[in-house]
């Protein structure tokens, strides 16, 4: 469907008497829908039916991501610009969602233009929209521009930065590889009497680790704890992330320390432990972590499946990898192309042709045509091109049941 056609289709949908689905159902559908046109249809069923500007924001963000992944920037612009005609545009929180969405698409020029249009649109401007603009700049990977905006916008519009603004500035410096400058910003926050959250500290700790400054990172961690910041699971996961390249015992110790602190390790925590076991060649232990996720109150995510399948393939355990793949399909957490390419190639190498064909068939069902070109090349190179017209085998039926 062309850009102009899909947007006309969206407008048609939004003006019909079609009943709205619940926002939670829309979110669920959008998480598993990779076809941008279908994502637009789902979004249209909720965007005009909720008075709160924040209720459908997540659905809007997911839709924009799907469109951006397909490089349909014209559709993104048409979608977001159409919202400027909505009476809710005079609400700053509503307009801020549009700025953020442009940022998620990497369309910062459009985000800045929207911010500058606020007077024209009759929308009050405060630190809320200012923070959305800074976030959009970070999301567009324009980290060096954030300090400039932080300096210029408050002077131009009389906006006073708050702790969130400073947190975004800290993240920009960290992403730009300047954690020491971020530490200086924290000093400014202290002078201005602004609260420094665990998120801000953790962002700098992460950046210090990435720069190879582990000792400095640990010192800052201690400062954060000594100042009484409420350290959460995400903060612990940063430490775990930078320990998981070493011995599994070190990661396990940090997870135990997290539990002792009254925090519940999450899927990300266990993913790092599983990865560490995989890298150490302890695949049996890695499988135990995966199999124990549910018992620990966690659910596997796409990273869980990606890591385990990758290392199973590396160890030539393609049959186990195929079983894990089927599970990922069941829970709509299918791993990335490169990981599954190794699995398909391994299955063919092991003469598991039916399973390989079943995987290809699943991809064709789950993804839109515009993202299947790479899979077609794999299909042809492995001699599986006839799979699409083959009669379903028992193995294929198992695969489709999993889907």
């Amino acid at each position: 469907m062309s850009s102009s056609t899909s947007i006309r289709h969206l407008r048609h949908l939004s003006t019909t008497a079609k009943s709205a689905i619940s926002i939670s159902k829309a979110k669920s559908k959008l998480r598993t829908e990779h076809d941008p046109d279908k994502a637009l249809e789902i979004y249209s069923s909720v965007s005009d039916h909720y008075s709160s500007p924040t209720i459908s924001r997540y659905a809007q963000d997911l839709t924009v991501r799907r469109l951006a992944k397909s490089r349909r920037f014209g559709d993104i612009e048409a979608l977001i610009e159409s919202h400027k005609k909505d009476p809710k545009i005079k609400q700053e929180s509503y307009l801020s969602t549009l700025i953020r969405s442009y940022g998620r698409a990497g369309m910062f020029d459009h985000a800045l233009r929207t911010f500058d249009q606020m007077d024209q649109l009759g929308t009050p401007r405060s630190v809320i929209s200012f923070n959305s603009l800074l976030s959009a700049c970070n999301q567009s990977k324009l980290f060096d521009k954030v300090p400039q905006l932080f300096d210029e916008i408050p002077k131009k519009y009389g906006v006073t930065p708050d702790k969130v603004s400073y947190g975004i500035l800290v993240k920009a410096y960290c992403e730009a590889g300047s954690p020491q400058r971020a530490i200086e910003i924290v000093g400014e926050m202290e002078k201005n009497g602004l609260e420094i959250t665990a998120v801000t500290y953790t962002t700098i700790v992460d950046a210090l680790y990435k720069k190879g400054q582990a000792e400095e990172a640990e010192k800052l961690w201690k400062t954060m704890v000594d100042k009484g910041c409420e350290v959460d699971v995400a903060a612990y996961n940063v430490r775990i992330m930078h320990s998981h390249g070493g011995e599994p015992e070190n990661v396990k110790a940090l997870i135990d320390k997290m539990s002792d602190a009254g925090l519940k390790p999450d899927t990300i925590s266990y993913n790092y432990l599983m990865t560490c076991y995989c890298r150490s060649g302890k695949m049996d232990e890695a499988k135990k972590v995966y199999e124990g996720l549910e018992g620990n109150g966690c659910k596997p995510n796409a990273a869980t499946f990606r890591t385990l399948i990758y290392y199973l393939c590396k160890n030539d355990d393609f049959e186990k990898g195929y079983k894990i793949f089927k599970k990922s399909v069941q829970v709509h957490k299918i791993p990335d192309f490169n990981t599954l390419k190794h699995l398909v190639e391994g299955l063919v190498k092991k003469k598991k042709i039916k399973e390989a064909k079943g995987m290809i068939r699943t991809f064709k069902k789950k993804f839109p045509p515009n993202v299947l070109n790479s899979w077609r090349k794999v299909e042809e190179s492995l001699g599986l091109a006839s799979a699409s017209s083959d009669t379903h085998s028992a193995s294929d039926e198992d695969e489709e049941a999993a889907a």
Side-chain angles (χ1 to χ4, degrees):
M1 187 180 291
S2 69
S3 174
S4 58
T5 302
S6 62
I7 290 299
R8 285 200 301 271
H9 184 50
L10 171 65
R11 288 171 180 157
H12 169 72
L13 284 168
S14 64
T15 55
T16 61
K18 183 180 177 181
S19 60
I21 62 174
S22 71
I23 191 68
S24 59
K25 186 173 182 181
K27 290 177 183 178
S28 178
K29 282 184 163 187
L30 283 167
R31 289 189 198 103
T32 58
E33 182 54 69
H34 296 273
D35 187 318
D37 291 314
K38 291 180 181 177
L40 277 169
E41 289 186 20
I42 296 167
Y43 174 66
S44 73
S45 66
V46 297
S47 62
D48 292 335
H49 302 283
Y50 294 91
S51 58
S52 169
T54 57
I55 286 180
S56 62
R57 187 183 80 193
Y58 184 65
Q60 178 175 297
D61 285 346
L62 282 173
T63 304
V64 167
R65 285 181 199 169
R66 295 291 180 262
L67 291 168
K69 195 170 183 180
S70 297
R71 306 192 63 78
R72 300 216 345 221
F73 301 110
D75 280 358
I76 293 171
E77 181 177 13
L79 173 64
I80 295 177
E81 292 299 312
S82 69
H83 289 322
K84 292 181 181 178
K85 299 174 183 177
D86 191 303
K88 294 193 291 290
I89 196 64
K90 295 184 183 298
Q91 301 174 29
E92 186 180 19
S93 55
Y94 182 83
L95 183 140
S96 295
T97 66
L98 308 187
I99 292 174
R100 275 192 294 267
S101 288
Y102 270 135
R104 290 192 180 280
M107 301 169 69
F108 179 71
D109 287 346
H110 290 70
L112 181 58
R113 184 182 68 195
T114 300
F115 182 80
D116 288 335
Q117 287 175 338
M118 293 179 72
D119 293 331
Q120 174 187 337
L121 294 169
T123 314
R125 185 185 286 107
S126 75
V127 72
I128 294 172
S129 51
F130 173 56
N131 290 341
S132 294
L133 183 66
L134 293 179
S135 293
C137 198
N138 267 346
Q139 290 168 338
S140 298
K141 311 296 183 187
L142 300 174
F143 307 118
D144 292 337
K145 191 175 180 63
V146 173
Q148 178 188 341
L149 292 170
F150 194 91
D151 180 58
E152 293 178 354
I153 298 294
K155 293 176 183 176
K156 184 176 180 180
Y157 293 108
V159 175
T160 302
D162 61 8
K163 66 180 181 181
V164 176
S165 315
Y166 276 96
I168 299 169
L169 178 62
V170 162
K171 182 172 179 61
Y173 277 122
C174 288
E175 291 288 353
S178 303
Q180 293 302 329
R181 183 70 183 99
I183 292 173
E184 292 174 10
I185 296 300
V186 167
E188 290 181 26
M189 293 176 71
E190 289 179 327
K191 288 179 184 178
N192 293 332
L194 291 172
E195 177 191 3
I196 306 164
T197 65
V199 173
T200 298
Y201 275 119
T202 302
T203 299
I204 304 174
V205 167
D206 180 40
L208 288 168
Y209 273 124
K210 287 176 178 175
K211 293 277 284 188
Q213 299 173 6
E215 188 175 338
E216 290 298 314
E218 288 299 318
K219 283 182 183 177
L220 190 60
W221 176 274
K222 186 176 185 303
T223 298
M224 173 173 64
V225 174
D226 290 345
K227 286 184 176 291
C229 283
E230 190 172 336
V231 182
D232 58 11
V233 173
Y236 267 101
N237 281 343
V238 166
R239 296 184 78 194
I240 290 172
M241 175 175 64
H242 293 287
S243 298
H244 85 287
E247 294 298 319
E249 289 72 22
N250 294 337
V251 175
K252 184 68 167 62
L254 279 171
I255 288 178
D256 291 340
K257 187 179 289 189
M258 190 192 309
S259 298
D260 291 342
L263 298 170
K264 184 177 177 297
D266 61 10
T267 300
I268 295 172
S269 314
Y270 289 113
N271 279 353
Y272 286 132
L273 178 59
M274 185 184 73
T275 301
C276 201
Y277 279 130
C278 287
R279 287 178 173 172
S280 300
K282 299 179 179 179
M283 292 305 298
D284 287 341
E285 293 300 319
K287 291 174 191 174
K288 286 179 184 177
V289 174
Y290 165 73
E291 292 164 357
L293 282 174
E294 188 173 340
N296 286 314
C298 300
K299 294 180 180 180
N301 59 20
T304 311
F305 294 115
R306 179 179 67 245
T307 300
L308 192 53
I309 291 174
Y310 172 80
Y311 281 100
L312 287 169
C313 290
K314 199 171 182 180
N315 286 273
D316 284 349
D317 193 351
F318 300 108
E319 291 185 55
K320 179 66 175 176
Y322 178 66
K323 289 179 181 177
I324 299 297
F325 163 74
K326 290 206 292 184
K327 179 63 178 177
S328 78
V329 175
Q330 285 180 338
V331 297
H332 305 291
K333 301 292 181 183
I334 302 176
D336 63 291
F337 168 79
N338 288 328
T339 300
L340 297 183
K341 178 174 178 285
H342 289 310
L343 179 55
V344 170
E345 291 171 342
L347 289 170
V348 172
K349 185 172 74 173
K350 293 290 185 178
K351 309 300 182 186
K352 300 290 182 180
I353 305 302
K354 292 178 181 179
E355 288 83 352
K357 287 183 176 181
M359 284 186 68
I360 295 291
R361 187 172 286 112
T362 296
F363 303 145
K364 289 182 176 180
K365 287 184 176 181
K366 292 292 180 179
F367 299 99
N370 63 311
V371 298
L372 287 176
N373 291 334
S374 296
W375 277 117
R376 289 194 188 95
K377 293 177 183 177
V378 173
E379 188 179 23
E380 290 170 4
S381 68
L382 295 175
L384 301 175
S386 62
S388 59
S389 59
D390 285 349
T391 303
H392 291 4
S393 66
S395 177
D396 293 336
E397 288 169 0
D398 289 342
E399 175 56 44
E400 289 175 359

